[in-house]
Amino acid sequence: MDAGFPLVLITYKPSFHTQSGRTIVCPSLRQLQPENFVEMHTWDALARGLDTGDLVRIFSVSNPAGIQGRVKLTQAIRPGVVAICNSYGHWEMSSRAMTLDGQPRGFDPARASGLNPNLIMRLDPALGNVTLMEPVAGSASFYETQVQVLKVS
């Protein structure tokens, strides 16, 4: 256990988005939920003086600066666990202004809304800049990151 990081981060795919995150380009799906949240059990949130809608910073050993987002209290998650759904917080996918072959490209800043949990996931200690890999299937280890959540004042 990482000292000072008492919560476990999990990620999930919302039923209205795909695992790949490409559905963020669809405005009608973004209308269902314009941004994602740091979801945590009410007990954990109250212990930190948090209420739904508060701006928080969630950080890990791999990313001490962390990321910021809004917290959502729920009793549908186990105490000690924090959940962030995938498909949000893109820094590409035409979410920012750019040029291609000298020509400005259209963009939609709404595609960057929300949090991207990949930015705080545990990094591989041997490689340093790659998410820790799960040894059996060889995919990203989505459930090995311990985090802390603090209110942004």
Side-chain angles (χ1 to χ4, degrees):
M1 182 160 185
D2 296 326
F5 298 90
L7 304 167
V8 175
L9 172 68
I10 64 170
T11 63
Y12 68 95
K13 173 185 67 171
S15 60
F16 49 89
H17 281 297
T18 63
Q19 188 71 24
S20 70
R22 292 185 185 101
T23 52
I24 199 68
V25 302
C26 182
S28 62
L29 292 178
R30 284 198 317 266
Q31 287 177 350
L32 294 173
Q33 184 176 313
E35 65 180 342
N36 58 349
F37 304 95
V38 176
E39 300 171 43
M40 61 191 313
H41 193 278
T42 304
W43 297 345
D44 293 325
L46 293 177
R48 290 164 175 77
L50 301 173
D51 198 2
T52 292
D54 286 346
L55 185 63
V56 296
R57 180 172 67 97
I58 179 170
F59 55 102
S60 66
V61 168
S62 296
N63 186 343
I67 56 178
Q68 291 187 3
R70 301 274 172 205
V71 70
K72 182 178 180 181
L73 280 58
T74 179
Q75 293 194 25
I77 191 170
R78 182 182 176 101
V81 175
V82 174
I84 300 176
C85 70
N86 297 333
S87 301
Y88 292 87
H90 291 277
W91 54 86
E92 290 298 343
M93 304 277 295
S94 298
S95 65
R96 61 191 172 98
M98 61 179 356
T99 59
L100 181 63
D101 296 329
Q103 298 297 313
R105 304 287 299 176
F107 69 100
D108 181 358
R111 295 177 183 180
S113 64
L115 303 101
N116 187 329
N118 295 346
L119 298 174
I120 56 171
M121 289 176 60
R122 181 179 295 279
L123 296 178
D124 186 300
L127 300 174
N129 65 347
V130 175
T131 300
L132 184 68
M133 300 302 283
E134 187 273 315
V136 176
S139 66
S141 185
F142 290 105
Y143 311 109
E144 301 296 325
T145 302
Q146 292 173 249
V147 297
Q148 179 59 283
V149 178
L150 297 175
K151 188 173 187 173
V152 174
S153 40

